[in-house]
Amino acid sequence: MSLVNKKGVVVRHIDRADRDMVAQFAQFGVATAHEAQQRQGLLDVRIKPIQQGVTIAGSAVTVLVSPGDNWMFHVAVEQCQPGDVLLVAPTSDCHDGFFGDLLATSLKDRGVVALVGDIGIRDSQTLRDMQFPVWSRAVHAQGTVKATIGSVNVPVICAGQLVNPGDIIVADDDGVVVIPRADAAQVMHAAQQRVANEESKRVRLASGELGLDIYQMREHLAEKGLRYVESLDELAKASS
């Protein structure tokens, strides 16, 4: 039986990646982490930050909720540890304001670094004032109820991506990416190489070299038929 989106379960103990490794992913950011794992794991564009200029990385505590019902948030708080990201997936599309400043206060006390969810949130200005980062589908004042159980720390599908509890979540102004915990060391190595390569190119570009030459584009552009003319008059004569 598949455990993805399984309801009615709380898994108390999950494996998490090394904290120092997780922290380093925050230095890389989403774009680098995404490219380093062969452009996989990116949550849908609908998941956006409510703040700007914040980059986080943490281990996923997953929460499966029913539409318009935030009961499982309160269950999930107890399972959180410092450095975690609460990642929330609903069983069907919804935009209700599942999360606000009171739940954020509780999570912040547990050391949770952020909320990521394919859901609506509210109290957005207060959350920014609290400096509690959130990436969500919507900001919407519609309230929720507490009537239907879901699950905590089971595999979920969130904004188009499979997320297992303990996977690494990286989020910044560009979006959110999921790095499977089992692949973390390999992706870390690839990200380090990518950063070093980009820094080398940055130095060359700043010194006046052109991307055309650094990336050896000229020959390939010529093969595609790109040609240069000195003026529009020359182009007109060549076309007549």
Side-chain angles (χ1 to χ4, degrees), residues 26 49 51-56 113-114 131-135 171-175:
Q51 66 286 311
Q52 292 290 301
V54 176
T55 303
I56 64 92
V113 298
Q131 297 184 334
F132 187 84
V134 172
W135 284 258
D172 60 20
D173 289 348
D174 293 339

Side-chain angles (χ1 to χ4, degrees), residues 20-126:
D20 290 339
M21 178 183 292
V22 173
Q24 193 165 349
F25 274 111
Q27 298 176 21
F28 295 142
V30 170
T32 295
H34 179 232
E35 297 286 350
Q37 62 174 356
Q38 301 180 337
R39 303 181 70 183
Q40 299 180 85
L42 198 62
L43 268 60
D44 188 84
V45 67
R46 65 181 179 265
I47 309 302
K48 300 181 183 298
I50 68 166
Q51 66 286 311
Q52 292 290 301
V54 176
T55 303
I56 64 92
S59 297
V61 168
T62 61
V63 189
L64 182 68
V65 297
S66 295
D69 194 313
N70 77 344
W71 204 3
M72 297 309 294
F73 276 79
H74 296 272
V75 177
V77 170
E78 185 180 25
Q79 306 307 317
C80 291
Q81 297 181 8
D84 286 344
V85 171
L86 199 68
L87 183 129
V88 185
T91 55
S92 62
D93 286 354
C94 53
H95 304 84
D96 306 275
F98 281 80
F99 182 84
D101 65 310
L102 293 179
L103 277 166
T105 299
S106 190
L107 288 177
K108 198 170 184 179
D109 180 68
R110 303 287 290 191
V112 174
V113 298
L115 171 84
V116 173
D118 194 8
I119 56 170
I121 61 95
R122 59 184 186 177
D123 304 329
S124 57
Q125 183 59 59
T126 306

